[in-house]
Amino acid sequence: MAEVDELSKPMFAGLSDVSISGDIPVEGEINVPVGTPSHDDEYSTLDEPVKDTILRDLKAVGKKFVHVMYPKKSSALLRDWDLWGPLLLCVTLALMLQGGSVDSKEDGGPQFAEVFVIIWFGSVIITLNSKLLGGTISFFQSLCVLGYCIMPLTVAMVVCRLVLLGGSGMVSFIVRLIVVTASFSWSTFASTAFLADCQPSNRKALVVYPVFLFYFVIGWMILTFSPSA
Amino acid sequence: KMASSDANKNTNTEPWGGFEDNIIQGTGSAVIDMENMDDTSGSSFEDMGEMHQRMKEEEEVAEEAEATEEETGEDGEFLGIKGIKGQLGRQVADEVWQAGKRQASKAFNLYANIDILRPYFDVEPMQVRNRLIESMVPIRIINFPQKIAGELYGPMMLVFTLVAILLHGMKTSGTVIREGTLMGTAIGTCFGYWLGVSSFIYFLAYLCNAQITMLQMLSLLGYGLFGHCVVLFVTYNVHFHSLFYILWLVVGGLSTLRMVAAVISRTVGQTPRLILCGTLAALHMLFLLYLHFAYHKIVEGILDTLEGPNMPPIQRVARDLPVVATAAMNAVNATVKTLGVILQSQ
């Protein structure tokens, strides 16, 4: 079709404008067979108000938070994975860990980017490790689980900040140590409840150790955080 | 399923001939496995919406192709130019997207295939524990090649553990990194040592005709870091100089001897053996020395003492250390001060 070839060349320039408006003079009948209408209604989320979309996502995130709080062996966290929760937790934690330095000129505390990179890079490494050891979990599911299980540590960070408002002596150090240790073990236990199921039974320890190390490093960053005077 | 359905389907519905499909026969799972994504993460709404959108688009492309042929067959001139441009433009855009996506996923499957590394992670916890213990026990058989396990799980975990210990050391010593971050420095140091020194020794081994593979070298050096982890873990928390030197000689020495014996057993000839042995031992022991001293309070104390005898050794505020540690620190400061004065007077 020679005429189509000639027309197709200048068309590449206007590819951005590919919408067909209603007032094009088109002759003849165009019968585009519509697919099953029920499919469209079920999955067409483009026309709903923004509030509905946001609320639905927030509800899903909230439901997963509850799952992390009471880690039972449910598969809901794995089935409907999403990365909103981890992102929220990661940003909150990184913001709260910022600005903790003795001299504000020098870089004494972890900066936002550092915490962000540690969490995401660490999660990727653990996921790769778990996949290499023969796990059946998919990449994003694992990221989802690890991200959501940071929640106890974020709660511990909030508590530590509140405790530090009261002073930074020996007592506050012990209280913070207890809180951080408890939340870090809770995180490790919660994530292994989800992750270790997807491994052959004799290799669970091999998967648990990097998770332990990961949450240990984050817990350590929280414990050694001291706000600028 | 997506990838395979794309490969089987002929989406060449354009009269001008779509994009050519260079089918690379790449099988096996990749990091982000397109097929697994469908199976295990199916009910996430974003995924389902995207999948459905794509199926609808493909249907639409096929339908529009038929519709276009019908129209241009009947009243070609009377159709608005915009009509053809709109529909064909959309088809072209769609084809570009599909072809690009296919190419990208094929390239990804080919290069990011982590199955290459899978056999090196095939270990049991018992084996890892045994190898950790064996890394401190030198074997004296040097006339027969020693068996070296080619495994990467243990070394990787040890490197990460070393990173964590280093972070702990940097924090408690109040080290301030001016350009870069604490975490970046720690990771860079540990991984740089593991990968860099392994490559260097492998290169020397290649020159000296030693029978050792890169994987074995990585594994050997990685397990050799177990000694470093132990020593640093102890000495970052218990700040006694003499304790560090003893541990450095004993623990560091044992793990170095183990590595050196393994490498020597695979080399022939006096001079090559000497070169390899000397280089490996020097690098390994010096690394431990460097790690201890680079991130240690006492170093700052010495520097400050040499600058001015009136300045207190530790300038930075200790971070949340218990009172006991502060007292110990003061005692050590006093020792260092007197040492500094003695050195200066000489």
Side-chain angles (χ1 to χ4, degrees), chain B residues 58-59 65 83 157 188-189 207 251 260 297:
Chain B
E58 285 173 4
E59 278 176 13
M157 289 305 126
T189 312
L207 288 181
V251 176
V260 158
K297 282 187 189 60

Side-chain angles (χ1 to χ4, degrees), chain A residues 29-217:
Chain A
E29 284 219 37
I30 303 176
N31 283 326
V32 179
V34 180
T36 47
S38 59
H39 258 291
D40 282 354
D41 289 346
E42 214 174 300
Y43 292 121
S44 158
T45 58
L46 214 55
D47 298 329
E48 64 180 10
V50 176
K51 187 172 73 105
D52 280 354
T53 316
I54 293 180
L55 278 178
R56 188 179 59 224
D57 283 341
L58 278 179
K59 266 195 217 123
V61 168
K63 209 160 57 156
K64 293 202 187 76
F65 277 148
V66 171
H67 273 292
V68 172
M69 297 290 282
Y70 304 108
K72 305 184 293 267
K73 284 190 171 55
S74 77
S75 61
L77 205 69
L78 291 180
R79 255 202 336 256
D80 306 324
W81 62 266
D82 75 272
L83 293 177
W84 282 116
L87 182 68
L88 214 66
L89 287 170
C90 180
V91 168
T92 317
L93 195 60
L95 281 176
M96 285 198 285
L97 274 173
Q98 212 185 4
S101 58
V102 177
D103 296 341
S104 54
K105 286 180 304 204
E106 292 160 355
D107 178 15
Q111 298 300 304
F112 182 92
E114 195 174 346
V115 177
F116 211 83
V117 163
I118 288 174
I119 292 178
W120 288 102
F121 195 61
S123 305
V124 167
I125 298 275
I126 295 176
T127 309
L128 282 179
N129 175 58
S130 135
K131 277 187 88 70
L132 281 168
L133 284 171
T136 56
I137 198 172
S138 101
F139 187 71
F140 287 111
Q141 281 173 349
S142 177
L143 279 186
C144 170
V145 168
L146 287 167
Y148 272 106
C149 291
I150 289 182
M151 197 188 71
L153 284 166
T154 313
V155 169
M157 181 75 215
V158 173
V159 171
C160 283
R161 268 227 117 129
L162 291 174
V163 168
L164 277 170
L165 284 178
S168 53
M170 185 70 170
V171 175
S172 94
F173 177 72
I174 292 184
V175 167
R176 281 185 295 131
L177 181 66
I178 294 174
V179 167
V180 169
T181 313
S183 64
F184 138 74
S185 0
W186 190 357
S187 287
T188 313
F189 173 67
S191 65
T192 49
F194 295 112
L195 285 179
D197 272 349
C198 312
Q199 287 288 334
S201 58
N202 51 345
R203 293 199 183 168
K204 283 198 172 42
L206 295 183
V207 176
V208 169
Y209 178 69
V211 174
F212 166 84
L213 206 60
F214 175 62
Y215 289 129
F216 182 79
V217 168

Side-chain angles (χ1 to χ4, degrees), chain B residues 44-55:
Chain B
S44 167
F45 15 85
E46 291 92 349
D47 268 6
M48 284 308 280
E50 202 187 275
M51 251 173 57
H52 186 73
Q53 194 68 25
R54 199 165 305 131
M55 284 185 331

